[in-house]
Amino acid sequence: MADPQAPDLLPVTAEGTVLSPGGRQAYAVSAPLLRDYALRMTRVMAERYAEHPALALWHVDNELGCHVPQDFSDHAAAAFRRWLESRYGSIEVLNEAWGTAFWSQRYGSFDEILPPRAAPTYPNPTQQLDFARYSSDELLAHYRALREVLAEVTPNVPATTNFMLSSATKWMDYFAWAGDVDVVANDHYVIAADPRGQIELAFAADLSRGVAGGDPWILMEHSTSAVNWQPRNRTKGPGEMLRNSLSHVARGADGIMFFQWRQSKAGAEKFHSAMVPHAGKDSDVWRGTVALGRALEALAEVAGSRVLNRVALVMDYPSWWASELDSHPTQALRYNEEMLRWYTALWDLGIGVDLVPTGTDLTGYELVIAPTLYSVSGQEAERVAEAARAGAQVVITFFSGIVDENEHIYLGGYPGAFRELLGVRTEEFYALQEGEVLHLDDGTAADLWSEKTHLEGAEAVRSWADGALHGRPAVTRNAAGEEGGAAWYVAARPSAEGLETLVDEIVAAAGVESAVPGLHRDVEAVRRFAEDGTTYLFVLNHSDRDQVVQVSGHDLLRGTDADGAHTVRAGAVAVIRES
């Protein structure tokens, strides 16, 4: 590098490896030199294009935290100390929060603290959790600094940055970021190895809408066909790109964009598909892109409408970080997998879902599910309880309510923060070994987790049929409030079959129905609601057979009226303005 200070910009791993330039995002986000360069570049760019007639929205940086969500450099150490001092105020408060009396880790001043770098054994768990919080906040602070320059130069131009909301992106707390963008923008790519990738896509779209607070959002990136960065990249089939795009629209997106416009002929992403592929305009990819443009033009009136659901799935990034820390009952638990398992069970029943953060007012929902809500404050736990008392069916799954925001155990038995609501007390976890499977008394199986649970007001809905806990409750239900609400505790990880049966039972208790009852499980049906009362029904047929749906209205994509039995061809989409 020409600048002798440039190596000072480079990020460092927990093991001390300096990551070299040559790819992208080769910077330590907390490095003062990096911040100075970025602010200067932003100002030059803003001044250059401030009066350009095409300037409608600033896209700040790109996929922040994609490759280096956490930096362990000396710059990060200094910034982490400042963040901690702001959070705790005094070293005594930090010592109490971190439980530093254990293993003689007590600190005398903030200057002694380092990031949780590679250590002989487990680093302090609260230190690890706080470093995750700091890292997310530091990336956000970088965005804020750039946005402030843009606001100074172009005060009337909105700004955003592209999130990576999906079931795989773990380290940025996008709920905490949402208030700093003028519109939520997301990048999403289908996982080639997933045979039902449309479900994870829908999860990501619903999460994008949740982060946006229910407002319309934009899909800033997805692909026309194959990407280049998965182990085995798959070309999209006929109609798949249209279905992908319109699934995002169905779930609240008001804009659909791609990476990239013209497929690169050189560089790391030359095999990443584009609107104009290497083959040029005489190609199915280009024709599909043009067809999408026509479809979006036909759907213009849908913009501004919203998605309304009666089921909430509570998602919490700090619980994701904390539940997967080391030195836990099992290292096989994956928070995102638990979220997707419950989401998939609802998808297969055709039930629409809002993904919401902890602390949300949940009293307007008929069904609230909180999978593995491991780390929760007393106030956040009370929000969940309020929903049950207001008449909702509330579901809490295993390894929830275990610790507070400082990673301190709620004493007196598990699941501490929800014990009273659930009417149960667990005295000990029985984590299952790899390949170990137990059975429930309804004939279904469960793996990964079991626990010795006592009923303290609740009733058993499922019990263990074998193993050390034979006869003990595995799923319970406890009445809550005077409005018919109930709190369910799932102290097991049921098989897909068992979960589908259980969710069907819970959904029935909640009185929730699918948008269009009776559809094939690979047919996606979602409604958007306009302020004037108009409703738009999206029907996306992901199956390989034609499907018939009963509708009344006007098919916007075909431009024809639809009344009664309406056929949606295999792999096709219908959007009905209902009447």
Side-chain angles (χ1 to χ4, degrees), residues 58-385:
W58 285 113
H59 170 198
V60 181
D61 211 297
N62 180 59
E63 294 185 336
L64 287 162
C66 180
H67 306 296
V68 189
Q70 296 181 348
D71 166 47
F72 295 80
S73 67
D74 288 342
H75 291 304
F80 184 39
R81 293 181 196 116
R82 292 191 296 270
W83 184 92
L84 291 169
E85 191 162 10
S86 175
R87 179 177 178 84
Y88 292 108
S90 73
I91 198 65
E92 291 77 19
V93 175
L94 178 141
N95 278 314
E96 176 62 25
W98 284 18
T100 56
F102 194 82
W103 279 358
S104 302
Q105 294 178 339
R106 189 169 183 83
Y107 293 98
S109 73
F110 287 101
D111 291 338
E112 298 174 3
I113 298 175
L114 295 171
R117 293 167 175 163
T121 187
Y122 313 122
N124 182 294
T126 315
Q127 178 190 20
Q128 293 184 67
L129 179 57
D130 270 347
F131 191 72
R133 290 175 173 134
Y134 148 76
S135 297
S136 178
D137 286 354
E138 190 70 4
L139 288 164
L140 177 58
H142 170 61
Y143 163 80
R144 284 172 172 166
L146 303 183
R147 184 202 60 190
E148 287 171 5
V149 171
L150 296 172
E152 178 188 339
V153 179
T154 56
N156 297 316
V157 179
T160 192
T161 187
N162 45 336
F163 296 169
M164 297 170 288
L165 290 153
S166 74
S167 66
T169 303
K170 173 181 179 180
W171 293 114
M172 282 69 71
D173 183 354
Y174 288 125
F175 286 115
W177 289 33
D180 287 282
V181 296
D182 292 303
V183 59
V184 166
N186 195 44
D187 295 354
H188 185 267
Y189 294 94
V190 176
I191 303 303
D194 185 351
R196 301 184 75 199
Q198 68 268 19
I199 300 178
E200 198 283 331
L201 182 154
F203 174 91
D206 284 340
L207 180 56
S208 298
R209 187 181 70 256
V211 167
D215 291 337
W217 51 280
I218 59 177
L219 182 67
M220 188 168 280
E221 287 188 22
H222 74 315
S223 65
T224 55
S225 190
V227 297
N228 65 295
W229 44 267
Q230 297 177 24
R232 298 189 182 200
N233 298 294
R234 184 179 61 80
T235 299
K236 292 187 178 182
E240 185 176 358
M241 187 269 281
L242 180 67
R243 293 196 308 279
N244 291 167
S245 301
L246 296 191
S247 182
H248 287 291
V249 174
R251 296 174 185 276
D254 272 3
I256 301 295
M257 290 176 269
F258 292 98
F259 176 81
Q260 50 191 326
W261 161 242
R262 188 180 300 278
Q263 194 168 8
S264 309
K265 78 172 188 177
E269 294 185 293
K270 59 182 174 291
F271 290 115
H272 190 297
S273 62
M275 298 166 74
V276 182
H278 291 151
K281 294 170 66 175
D282 186 12
S283 62
D284 287 340
V285 166
W286 170 253
R287 284 185 283 270
T289 303
V290 172
L292 172 63
R294 291 179 180 140
L296 293 175
E297 186 176 21
L299 299 179
E301 67 183 77
V302 176
S305 60
R306 300 168 71 91
V307 179
L308 304 175
N309 289 311
R310 297 168 63 196
V311 177
L313 196 60
V314 180
M315 181 169 177
D316 182 55
Y317 284 98
S319 275
W320 189 349
W321 305 333
S323 65
E324 295 184 7
L325 288 173
D326 47 41
S327 61
H328 277 188
T330 178
Q331 291 299 299
L333 172 66
R334 294 293 177 268
Y335 177 90
N336 54 334
E337 292 177 4
E338 298 310 309
M339 291 290 296
L340 264 180
R341 293 181 81 250
W342 285 86
Y343 184 89
T344 299
L346 292 162
W347 161 284
D348 285 338
L349 293 173
I351 304 298
V353 176
D354 288 345
L355 276 89
V356 300
T358 54
T360 299
D361 181 358
L362 301 167
T363 55
Y365 291 100
E366 303 296 331
L367 172 58
V368 175
I369 303 175
T372 313
L373 192 57
Y374 167 76
S375 173
V376 62
S377 69
Q379 185 177 13
E380 291 166 341
E382 177 59 21
R383 281 288 198 177
V384 176

Side-chain angles (χ1 to χ4, degrees), residues 412-429:
Y414 314 120
F418 298 115
R419 198 170 57 238
E420 182 177 347
L421 169 68
L422 297 169
V424 300
R425 179 178 61 87
T426 289
E427 61 173 281
E428 195 171 8
F429 300 133

Side-chain angles (χ1 to χ4, degrees), residues 434-471:
E434 185 175 2
E436 185 177 6
V437 176
L438 298 179
H439 296 86
L440 305 179
D441 60 0
D442 67 344
T444 61
D447 67 357
L448 184 71
W449 195 272
S450 62
E451 49 190 73
K452 185 186 288 186
T453 303
H454 300 270
L455 299 176
E456 296 191 346
E459 61 176 330
V461 178
R462 304 279 194 280
S463 297
W464 296 106
D466 52 19
L469 300 174
H470 180 267

